[in-house]
């Protein structure tokens, strides 16, 4: 805890550190927002690819069921290869989404740490302010005691001088 000093106004000697911590917290918030945005984008891409994949599976089932006539083996094989490629894309996108989520969680931890560091300094500032108030109250009490002592001594001397007359 920093020590309070006598002064007319409260001056926190770690104010520069507090400002740095506030700036760092804002930077971490920005980074977290960016990581969250990237995660949401990757999640959206994953959903789009999965939807497209399910549409392709539905189309393949439709062709294989023979609703539109005799199924063409070459077309079925092409669609099967296409679906395998899509499955690879889905798996790759899932990995990207997981990486983005991991990055987001790491950034959340960094943000939490920055917030805690700032709060520590803010609590120190409040404790120092309270100590400063107590110190200034004590100094004010000393000053008032000195004034009353001077006044009492002056009255005593006046009374003594009148007694001698």
């Amino acid at each position: 805890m920093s020590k309070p000093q006598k002064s007319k106004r409260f001056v926190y000697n770690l104010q520069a550190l507090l400002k740095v911590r506030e700036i760092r917290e804002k930077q971490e918030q920005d980074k977290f927002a960016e990581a969250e945005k990237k995660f949401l984008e990757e999640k959206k891409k994953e959903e789009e690819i999965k939807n497209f994949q399910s549409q392709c599976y539905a189309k393949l089932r439709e062709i294989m069921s023979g609703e539109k006539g005799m199924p063409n083996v070459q077309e079925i094989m092409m669609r099967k290869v296409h679906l395998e490629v899509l499955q690879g894309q889905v798996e790759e996108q899932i990995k990207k989404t997981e990486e983005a989520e991991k990055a987001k969680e790491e950034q959340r931890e960094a943000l939490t740490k920055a917030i805690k560091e700032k709060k520590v300094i803010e609590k120190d500032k409040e404790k120092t302010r309270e100590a400063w108030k107590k110190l200034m109250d004590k100094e004010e009490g000393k000053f008032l005691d000195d004034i009353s002592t001077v006044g009492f001594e002056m009255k005593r001397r006046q009374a003594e001088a009148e007694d001698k007359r």
Side-chain angles (χ1 to χ4, degrees):
M1 185 169 124
S2 56
K3 298 277 185 186
Q5 298 173 348
K6 290 185 205 177
S7 62
K8 293 199 181 254
R9 291 167 136 189
F10 174 70
V11 178
Y12 186 56
N13 56 357
L14 297 177
Q15 187 64 35
L17 178 63
L18 180 61
K19 235 178 200 171
V20 167
R21 297 275 169 94
E22 287 172 351
I23 291 169
R24 189 170 295 145
E25 179 188 359
K26 286 181 180 154
Q27 289 173 340
E28 293 297 331
Q29 283 176 342
D30 292 343
K31 288 178 186 177
F32 175 71
E34 189 64 35
E36 192 169 33
K37 182 181 175 184
K38 185 170 177 15
F39 169 71
L40 292 174
E41 287 173 1
E42 295 296 334
K43 190 77 170 164
K44 184 179 177 184
K45 286 179 187 177
E46 180 184 335
E47 292 300 319
E48 288 173 356
I49 292 174
K50 284 182 177 180
N51 286 338
F52 182 66
Q53 183 185 31
S54 64
Q55 288 173 359
C56 289
Y57 271 118
K59 192 125 185 152
L60 179 62
R61 277 192 296 273
E62 181 182 306
I63 291 172
M64 289 177 71
S65 67
E67 292 176 10
K68 293 188 174 184
M70 193 67 175
N72 185 350
V73 176
Q74 186 177 359
E75 185 179 357
I76 291 174
M77 294 304 286
M78 277 187 358
R79 289 194 181 271
K80 182 182 176 215
V81 170
H82 183 251
L83 285 170
E84 288 172 356
V85 170
L86 273 177
Q87 183 61 35
Q89 288 176 349
V90 167
E91 290 171 2
E92 184 179 322
Q93 189 60 42
I94 288 172
K95 286 179 186 174
K96 286 182 183 179
T97 304
E98 288 172 354
E99 289 172 4
E101 185 174 18
K102 184 178 176 184
K104 181 182 86 166
E105 290 306 315
E106 289 172 357
Q107 196 56 47
R108 182 188 312 269
E109 290 173 10
L111 175 60
T112 303
K113 183 180 175 190
I115 290 171
K116 285 180 183 178
E117 288 174 350
K118 182 183 134 205
K119 284 190 178 189
V120 166
I121 297 298
E122 285 177 340
K123 283 183 181 181
D124 181 61
K125 181 178 180 179
E126 289 305 313
K127 287 180 182 179
T128 305
R129 182 185 302 272
E130 291 300 319
W132 174 79
K133 283 182 183 178
K134 287 180 183 177
L135 177 69
M136 293 311 292
D137 287 344
K138 193 175 188 181
E139 289 298 317
E140 186 178 341
K142 283 182 187 177
F143 179 71
L144 293 176
D145 286 347
D146 288 345
I147 290 176
S148 63
T149 302
V150 168
F152 176 76
E153 188 64 30
M154 189 172 74
K155 285 181 184 178
R156 188 185 67 77
R157 286 183 185 167
Q158 284 177 354
E160 201 176 277
E162 284 185 15
D163 285 344
K164 286 185 181 177
R165 288 189 194 172

